[in-house]
Amino acid sequence: MKAENIALTEEWDKVFPKSDKVNHKKVTFVNHFGITLAADMYEPKEYEGKLPAIALAGPYSAVKEQVSGRYAQEMAERGFLTIAFDPSFYGESGGYPRYMNSPEINTEDFQAAVDFLSVQDNVDSERIGIIGICGWGGYAVNTAAIDTRIKATAAITMYDMSRVMAYGYNDSNDEDARYAMRETVSNQRTEDYKNGEYALGGGHPEEITDDMPQFQKDYIEFYKRDRGYHTRSLGSNNGFAASTIGALMNTHLMEFANEIRTPVLLVHGSEAHSRYFSETVYEKLTSGNYANNKELYIVEGANHTDLYDQTDKIPFDKIQEFFEQSLK
């Protein structure tokens, strides 16, 4: 394995305050595609023996300084060793060209995080779980279906990115709509190659307008305001490369979700526009032989982005209980 030479910011540049109850340091690890990933490690200041561990990522287009790090720090306060990592191609992680995504590589990113945790001297390798938030909730479920080292999985305010890219919100896209999207992406690839660079798809608008759907207003309030803005975040700035959605359109991340044999906790807000993703996955999970290991936990009154950072709504007690029981 050969690590890339990547730059890591040593100053505390998170959108949440630093806890005095945990130790924090930057770490790196390499995935099977040779990409070096950057992560923040959090561990309780006082503990004995080996710790249960959790790898975290998400939301889609966010960096570890926004949401996954907040969750990781909180779970470390509650007795777990945690790492919140930036996915391949953005944030502080390596990978070129920048601002790309790949269903295969991003699933591998989670597995590489498990690789790293499995060999830490202070981690019990038989007690490793993962947490995915928003789009990375879908990747977490997909990773749990392939990696038997993962003993417990939580997907928070989950998106199935493969479904929404192919079918649109609430499955509103038909075959003609998908063909039009494929045509746009195909033409964009030609333009990118001609220009020698990958055009970015654009992030969220700067300003809120009356005609926007409420969930887009919620995204702007998080990504574009002091509440959640971060200079390295794709969601806060100019988004992914415009040509990246093709692979997700032709992928089914939840294909083998019903074959997961370890516990899965799905957490969603009752008012979230994305709630149907978790509800559909829950039905698929309980169609197998391990239905007693699956739970859908609804947070009353919460919308999609409330579970990014609103600590009065994020059910950390429930999440802690789930991992303590599942990682015995």
Side-chain angles (χ1 to χ4, degrees), residues 241-257:
S243 60
T244 60
I245 67 171
L248 276 167
M249 287 179 64
N250 275 24
T251 298
H252 297 286
L253 288 174
M254 302 300 129
E255 183 69 23
F256 294 104

Side-chain angles (χ1 to χ4, degrees), residues 225-241:
R225 305 292 184 259
D226 290 343
R227 171 183 166 190
Y229 178 84
H230 196 277
T231 185
R232 289 191 294 274
S233 167
L234 277 63
S236 292
N237 296 285
N238 293 317
F240 287 98

Side-chain angles (χ1 to χ4, degrees), residues 4 29-37 88-89 93-96 105:
E4 298 171 88
F29 51 93
V30 181
N31 72 15
H32 277 193
F33 292 92
I35 299 170
T36 299
L37 302 183
S88 295
F89 307 118
S93 288
Y96 188 83
I105 294 175

Side-chain angles (χ1 to χ4, degrees), residues 39-251:
D40 287 296
M41 177 185 284
Y42 302 87
E43 65 178 9
K45 282 204 168 177
E46 296 183 8
Y47 63 90
E48 295 181 0
K50 294 192 174 187
L51 291 166
I54 305 172
L56 303 93
Y60 190 73
S61 81
V63 288
K64 63 189 181 305
E65 288 74 21
Q66 291 172 301
V67 181
S68 60
R70 182 187 297 274
Y71 274 73
Q73 180 172 261
E74 178 71 28
M75 294 307 291
E77 288 185 358
R78 293 166 181 259
F80 301 85
L81 183 142
T82 63
I83 56 170
F85 64 89
D86 284 331
S88 295
F89 307 118
Y90 62 96
E92 291 186 304
S93 288
Y96 188 83
R98 303 302 289 168
Y99 314 130
M100 294 290 179
N101 66 64
S102 159
E104 182 180 8
I105 294 175
N106 291 153
T107 299
E108 162 61 25
D109 289 344
F110 249 138
Q111 290 193 267
V114 176
D115 294 342
F116 174 81
L117 290 174
S118 295
V119 300
Q120 301 307 302
D121 290 339
N122 56 345
V123 168
D124 183 343
S125 62
E126 294 299 316
R127 293 193 293 160
I128 295 176
I130 60 175
I131 296 176
I133 304 152
C134 185
W136 277 79
Y139 284 127
V141 173
N142 188 49
T143 309
I146 195 173
D147 198 323
T148 60
R149 298 171 301 172
I150 297 167
K151 306 305 183 192
T153 302
I156 315 295
T157 197
M158 192 201 85
Y159 258 59
D160 176 351
M161 294 306 302
S162 59
R163 180 178 177 182
V164 75
M165 289 298 185
Y167 296 101
Y169 284 109
N170 298 304
D171 301 331
S172 58
N173 285 354
D174 59 11
E175 182 180 340
D176 289 339
R178 282 189 292 279
Y179 185 85
M181 290 174 65
R182 291 178 179 123
E183 194 170 42
T184 298
V185 171
S186 298
N187 291 337
Q188 184 66 55
R189 290 182 65 106
T190 301
E191 286 300 308
D192 288 347
Y193 201 84
K194 184 190 302 181
N195 296 330
E197 61 182 12
Y198 298 97
L200 298 181
H204 299 290
E206 294 290 335
E207 301 300 329
I208 292 172
T209 59
D210 291 340
D211 60 340
M212 285 179 177
Q214 183 59 46
F215 71 84
Q216 188 172 23
K217 296 177 183 179
D218 295 337
Y219 282 134
I220 293 171
E221 287 290 349
F222 178 79
Y223 282 108
K224 292 292 191 175
R225 305 292 184 259
D226 290 343
R227 171 183 166 190
Y229 178 84
H230 196 277
T231 185
R232 289 191 294 274
S233 167
L234 277 63
S236 292
N237 296 285
N238 293 317
F240 287 98
S243 60
T244 60
I245 67 171
L248 276 167
M249 287 179 64
N250 275 24
T251 298

Side-chain angles (χ1 to χ4, degrees), residues 306-319:
D306 282 341
L307 300 187
Y308 284 7
D309 64 340
Q310 301 302 296
T311 54
D312 61 329
K313 294 183 178 179
I314 299 171
F316 280 121
D317 288 345
K318 174 64 180 179
I319 297 168

